[in-house]
Amino acid sequence: MNGIYFGEYAYLEGHSNIVNGIQFSPDGTKIASCSDDSTIRIWDTSTGKQLHLLEGHSGYVKATQFSPDGSMIVSCSQDKTIRLWDVLSGQQIQVWEGHSGVVNAAQFSSDGSKIVSCSQDNTVRIWDISSRKQIQLLKEHSDWVNAVQFSSDDSKIVSCSNDKTVRLWDTSSGKQLQILEGHADDVIGIQFLSNGSKILSYSKDTTIRIWDLSSYQQIQKLEGHLEVVNGVQISPDETKILSYSNDTTVRIWDLLSGKQLQILEGHSRWVNSARFSPDGSRIVSGSLDETIRIWDVSSGKQLQVLEGHLHWINGVDFFPKEPKILSCSYDKTIRIWDVALERKIQLTEGHLDNVMQANFSPDGSKIVSCSWDKTIRLWDTLSGKQIRAFEDNIKHVRGTQFSPDASKIASYFREKIIRIWDVSSGKLVQLLEGHSDVINSIQFSPDGDKLVSCSDDATIRIWDLSLGKQMQLLNGHSSRVLEIQFSSDGSKLASRSRDKSIRLWNAFSGKQLHSFEGHTKDITSMQFSPDGSKIVSGSEDNTIRVWDLLSEKQLLLLKGHLHSVRDVKFSPNGAAIVSCSNDKTIRLWNTFSGKPVHVLEGHQDHVWGAQFSPDGSKIISYSWDKTIRIWDTSSGRQIQVLEGHTGSIFGMQLSPDGTKIVSCSEDRTIRLWGSDYSKTFGKAEASLVRCIWQVGVQRFGLSMKDSSWKHTNGLTQQQKLLVEQRGGKF
């Protein structure tokens, strides 16, 4: 095993709670980390070994910083203290008490003789290291002070606060020199620029501002972010600024002109941290979406996605001298990532982010999938090969559907537009525009001539596909319309809404026929019965209701689930109903009597979907426990568990002929499951069901679960630790 490369490194384990921050020592040989477990830890960069455990704080540690010469560390905490530590011995040198609130930040002066701190007690304090005394108390701020910094010559201090101001102070006298006002919300951070001649500040008001200290005037206002700006960094050559925000983007700005150069889009949740590489050519970012992304500064393109953290990422940074990245997370770990280009895996086929939906074509020969990576992909069912990818610079795709003749695919997005694609050419053939808010559901009519859509704008729209125009606008719901369905003969429409009602419409005239009301919380699922005479609905009120379309009355109220009902379906003959719930169970009901038939137990987490096989003899379900399960309808017995997905399963569908299942997951893979001899799930021996193929690369990386290692030579201590962390045993 000498010289083997596993593709991953062992992570640094030790913290027992959220890791809030990481920092390299000035010479790059050590790493300091701080955590909600009240400790600071010092690690050896080359071996990953913990050198020291610094204990003393009685509350979570907000931040740490190495002294300029790397011999000391300063830390600040929820316990209202600032502490000074010796790096070589790991011993505490000093505790400063004086703040009456959480200390948000503490920083060394450039000569290492002083420390400045700021707190939720609205004050800034300066401490002398040699005398170990507080030498200044700055108390002009009227709200929490969020950040503080010395100028490069240590003569001035800048601070920022929730009082919406930036303030400049004289270090020696403690006198306030200037108040810089203009931000419209809490100012989160500040930084000196250009040898102390300018100050940069950023705020919850979504702006970044640059102030000139000779005139004390705002000289630039950088606007573009749509939500809170969480942080900024200046490039090594001091020509660019990077900023990152709750709006899920990282942005690059020209420092001289203030012009926005690049918007880096790819994260699906808040970006908590971002840093330039030492040469300024790349940026690394970490997010609440649990991913780390690497970007090219000049082109703005995403180069890599690093996945493995199991919770939000709090901090990221490039190693000073190696092609590696350091990260820390809410999952209590610090991880090291290899970003050497020769080791980068190129993904030729497959989604680059969570796969939200995968559906069979009507004849079962193709599968269409959509993902947060902004693409729609078409796959050959038999081989698993990608036929084509549909791309149109789109935002997150919410869903797709084949037309009844499989010649077209309709897709809908966050951006209120429905796109119609030609399957054979891959070209975009129609744009259906009219909704004024997010579209939640679409469906083709049985004859394929029309398409119906519903939206957060509380409307339903029927579109003529031959003309590409809106035929009908259906108003009636008083809140977001979440789903819309045609009846099997295409004559009626059913809709469900956040207004807790199901409404029945004439599909030709657009007239509302009836409103079914009774659920006391959001309706999560509905379906027409096979003969079109009834509708079944499930709700977050834990109940299932059956509605009769002729009498316009509620026929049945089915109670038994202990939590929200996620999905309901009629059996093919309409005699039974299957329901599944957040209570981890699936329940089978008699449609005519409303009596419970079976409770199917086995899933370990919320069950998100369940459906009958074509002959009704089996039930197939999927869950947040990452499994698909097959059940016998008559006995209620679990027949098989299909395992393999390493992330939550977002969708599952049975093929039209009942021989296969397609599933998609947050692990970025699509899997096709089937039985030998092409038997249907109604008649096949369930033990023959297996994964036929999968596409995509699983997001959670290396697994060595239950592997046994004997007589192996050449593994380093770090590699042995890696094997053990990933489930191997020596």
Side-chain angles (χ1 to χ4, degrees):
M1 301 295 286
N2 190 40
I4 190 170
Y5 174 61
F6 284 106
E8 296 182 20
Y9 295 111
Y11 40 81
L12 312 184
E13 287 185 298
H15 285 297
S16 60
N17 210 327
I18 295 163
V19 186
N20 293 316
I22 43 173
Q23 191 196 23
F24 286 100
S25 60
D27 64 3
T29 63
K30 298 177 186 71
I31 296 161
S33 61
C34 60
S35 166
D36 272 12
D37 67 9
S38 308
T39 72
I40 299 130
R41 292 169 196 253
I42 303 174
W43 313 82
D44 182 275
T45 305
S46 59
T47 65
K49 184 181 176 183
Q50 182 177 298
L51 300 175
H52 295 296
L53 170 61
L54 312 184
E55 294 180 293
H57 283 295
S58 59
Y60 61 78
V61 186
K62 288 267 296 185
T64 57
Q65 192 199 27
F66 279 99
S67 61
D69 65 1
S71 67
M72 294 180 287
I73 285 173
V74 66
S75 59
C76 59
S77 166
Q78 178 200 27
D79 68 9
K80 308 173 188 174
T81 70
I82 299 135
R83 293 173 192 248
L84 193 65
W85 312 84
D86 179 70
V87 170
L88 194 61
S89 67
Q91 295 300 305
Q92 183 175 288
I93 301 169
Q94 178 66 22
V95 183
W96 283 294
E97 297 174 327
H99 283 297
S100 58
V102 174
V103 186
N104 287 329
Q107 193 199 43
F108 284 99
S109 58
S110 61
D111 64 4
S113 68
K114 299 179 190 71
I115 287 167
V116 65
S117 61
C118 62
S119 166
Q120 292 178 14
D121 66 7
N122 307 353
T123 70
V124 176
R125 295 169 194 248
I126 306 172
W127 314 84
D128 182 68
I129 291 175
S130 60
S131 69
R132 302 187 178 183
K133 290 183 178 178
Q134 178 182 302
I135 53 175
Q136 296 291 352
L137 171 60
L138 318 178
K139 51 181 185 180
E140 300 295 324
H141 281 296
S142 59
D143 207 332
W144 292 5
V145 188
N146 295 316
V148 66
Q149 190 184 45
F150 280 104
S151 60
S152 55
D153 64 1
D154 297 332
S155 65
K156 298 181 188 71
I157 287 167
V158 66
S159 60
C160 64
S161 166
N162 284 3
D163 65 13
K164 305 176 189 174
T165 70
V166 176
R167 294 173 192 248
L168 192 68
W169 314 81
D170 179 77
T171 303
S172 57
S173 67
K175 182 183 176 185
Q176 181 175 292
L177 301 175
Q178 192 65 32
I179 306 175
L180 307 179
E181 296 180 287
H183 280 296
D185 208 331
D186 302 351
V187 188
I188 296 166
I190 34 85
Q191 193 169 344
F192 278 104
L193 302 176
S194 309
N195 293 319
S197 65
K198 297 185 182 78
I199 288 170
L200 178 149
S201 60
Y202 54 96
S203 165
K204 279 188 180 176
D205 68 8
T206 76
T207 70
I208 300 156
R209 297 171 195 242
I210 299 175
W211 314 80
D212 179 70
L213 292 190
S214 59
S215 64
Y216 298 121
Q217 295 297 308
Q218 178 183 300
I219 53 174
Q220 283 178 356
K221 183 181 177 183
L222 312 184
E223 296 181 283
H225 281 297
L226 306 176
E227 291 188 44
V228 176
V229 181
N230 290 322
V232 298
Q233 193 196 16
I234 308 302
S235 62
D237 63 4
E238 296 193 349
T239 63
K240 300 178 189 73
I241 301 167
L242 75 76
S243 59
Y244 48 97
S245 165
N246 283 4
D247 67 8
T248 75
T249 71
V250 179
R251 294 173 193 244
I252 305 171
W253 313 80
D254 180 73
L255 182 55
L256 190 63
S257 66
K259 183 183 176 185
Q260 184 173 287
L261 302 175
Q262 301 285 0
I263 305 176
L264 312 183
E265 295 182 289
H267 285 297
S268 59
R269 298 186 71 184
W270 298 358
V271 186
N272 278 342
S273 180
R275 292 289 182 272
F276 279 106
S277 60
D279 65 0
S281 67
R282 289 176 294 165
I283 286 169
V284 61
S285 58
S287 164
L288 263 66
D289 67 10
E290 302 172 13
T291 70
I292 296 159
R293 294 171 194 249
I294 303 165
W295 315 83
D296 179 70
V297 170
S298 58
S299 68
K301 287 187 177 177
Q302 182 176 291
L303 301 175
Q304 271 178 286
V305 183
L306 307 176
E307 297 173 301
H309 276 301
L310 304 176
H311 212 312
W312 304 341
I313 294 160
N314 287 327
V316 289
D317 205 353
F318 285 94
F319 272 62
K321 297 169 186 173
E322 294 180 84
K324 293 177 183 173
I325 280 166
L326 187 70
S327 63
C328 66
S329 166
Y330 264 63
D331 68 10
K332 310 173 189 175
T333 69
I334 299 157
R335 300 194 182 216
I336 298 168
W337 311 82
D338 191 343
V339 290
L341 288 177
E342 65 269 17
R343 286 171 173 169
K344 180 184 169 188
I345 299 166
Q346 289 288 349
L347 210 63
T348 53
E349 286 189 354
H351 287 292
L352 301 172
D353 213 325
N354 297 348
V355 187
M356 304 309 296
Q357 199 179 69
N359 296 320
F360 284 103
S361 60
D363 65 0
S365 67
K366 298 179 187 72
I367 291 166
V368 64
S369 62
C370 63
S371 163
W372 280 2
D373 69 5
K374 307 179 184 180
T375 68
I376 299 156
R377 295 174 192 254
L378 192 65
W379 311 87
D380 177 70
T381 303
L382 192 62
S383 66
K385 295 288 185 186
Q386 181 175 298
I387 299 168
R388 66 173 45 87
F390 304 91
E391 297 181 71
D392 193 33
N393 295 317
I394 48 186
K395 295 290 184 186
H396 292 165
V397 188
R398 291 178 67 97
T400 57
Q401 195 179 82
F402 277 101
S403 61
D405 65 1
S407 67
K408 297 183 185 72
I409 290 170
S411 58
Y412 57 103
F413 310 83
R414 279 187 179 177
E415 57 179 342
K416 312 162 195 173
I417 298 170
I418 300 162
R419 285 172 163 83
I420 310 291
W421 311 81
D422 180 71
V423 170
S424 58
S425 68
K427 289 182 178 178
L428 179 66
V429 291
Q430 280 180 334
L431 286 175
L432 307 181
E433 298 180 82
H435 283 295
S436 60
D437 210 331
V438 172
I439 297 166
N440 293 316
S441 175
I442 58 170
Q443 194 184 28
F444 282 97
S445 60
D447 61 11
D449 292 341
K450 297 188 285 290
L451 185 128
V452 64
S453 60
C454 62
S455 163
D456 276 6
D457 65 13
T459 70
I460 299 155
R461 293 166 197 255
I462 303 173
W463 310 84
D464 185 312
L465 295 180
S466 60
L467 302 174
K469 290 184 178 179
Q470 181 179 301
M471 294 170 55
Q472 301 280 357
L473 172 62
L474 281 50
N475 286 300
H477 283 294
S478 59
S479 188
R480 297 161 53 190
V481 189
L482 302 173
E483 187 184 4
I484 187 78
Q485 282 182 20
F486 275 102
S487 59
S488 57
D489 64 2
S491 67
K492 297 182 187 72
L493 288 167
S495 59
R496 65 177 171 90
S497 164
R498 286 294 296 272
D499 66 13
K500 305 181 185 68
S501 74
I502 293 170
R503 292 176 193 241
L504 191 67
W505 312 81
N506 183 295
F508 305 111
S509 68
K511 182 184 176 185
Q512 183 177 301
L513 302 175
H514 193 67
S515 176
F516 297 102
E517 296 174 40
H519 283 297
T520 57
K521 290 186 179 178
D522 285 354
I523 301 168
T524 54
S525 180
M526 66 173 187
Q527 191 192 40
F528 279 104
S529 61
D531 64 4
S533 68
K534 302 178 193 72
I535 290 172
V536 64
S537 60
S539 166
E540 288 183 359
D541 66 11
N542 307 355
T543 70
I544 298 131
R545 294 168 195 253
V546 181
W547 314 87
D548 182 65
L549 303 193
L550 187 63
S551 67
E552 299 181 346
K553 289 182 179 177
Q554 179 180 301
L555 289 177
L556 296 170
L557 171 61
L558 312 181
K559 291 182 178 182
H561 282 297
L562 305 176
H563 213 301
S564 301
V565 179
R566 302 308 333 171
D567 195 17
V568 287
K569 293 277 192 304
F570 279 104
S571 61
N573 64 6
I577 290 166
V578 66
S579 61
C580 61
S581 165
N582 284 4
D583 67 10
K584 307 177 189 177
T585 70
I586 299 145
R587 292 174 188 252
L588 194 66
W589 313 81
N590 182 291
T591 303
F592 307 109
S593 67
K595 288 183 178 178
V597 180
H598 292 299
V599 180
L600 315 182
E601 295 180 292
H603 281 297
Q604 303 301 306
D605 210 330
H606 299 174
V607 189
W608 279 89
Q611 67 180 100
F612 287 96
S613 60
D615 70 351
S617 69
K618 302 285 183 294
I619 290 166
I620 302 102
S621 61
Y622 68 96
S623 162
W624 267 14
D625 67 9
K626 306 170 190 172
T627 69
I628 297 163
R629 295 174 191 244
I630 303 171
W631 314 79
D632 180 70
T633 305
S634 60
S635 68
R637 184 173 59 90
Q638 180 178 294
I639 300 168
Q640 195 176 356
V641 183
L642 309 183
E643 296 179 289
H645 280 298
T646 57
S648 296
I649 299 172
F650 288 143
M652 177 207 75
Q653 192 190 35
L654 198 59
S655 63
D657 64 2
T659 64
K660 300 175 188 73
I661 296 168
V662 66
S663 59
C664 60
S665 165
E666 73 167 336
D667 68 13
R668 300 189 317 196
T669 70
I670 299 162
R671 290 170 186 253
L672 188 76
W673 313 80
S675 54
D676 291 334
Y677 317 118
S678 298
K679 294 178 182 177
T680 68
F681 284 99
K683 296 181 171 62
E685 289 298 320
S687 59
L688 298 176
V689 177
R690 58 188 172 82
C691 183
I692 298 171
W693 55 252
Q694 73 171 68
V695 289
V697 175
Q698 291 188 179
R699 68 174 291 183
F700 295 116
L702 195 63
S703 174
M704 301 185 193
K705 187 179 179 184
D706 300 327
S707 62
S708 182
W709 296 67
K710 295 177 183 177
H711 314 301
T712 50
N713 297 317
L715 289 176
T716 66
Q717 279 303 116
Q718 275 293 291
Q719 288 171 327
K720 287 180 180 178
L721 180 59
L722 173 75
V723 170
E724 288 169 349
Q725 286 175 348
R726 304 307 191 268
K729 292 183 177 67
F730 285 96

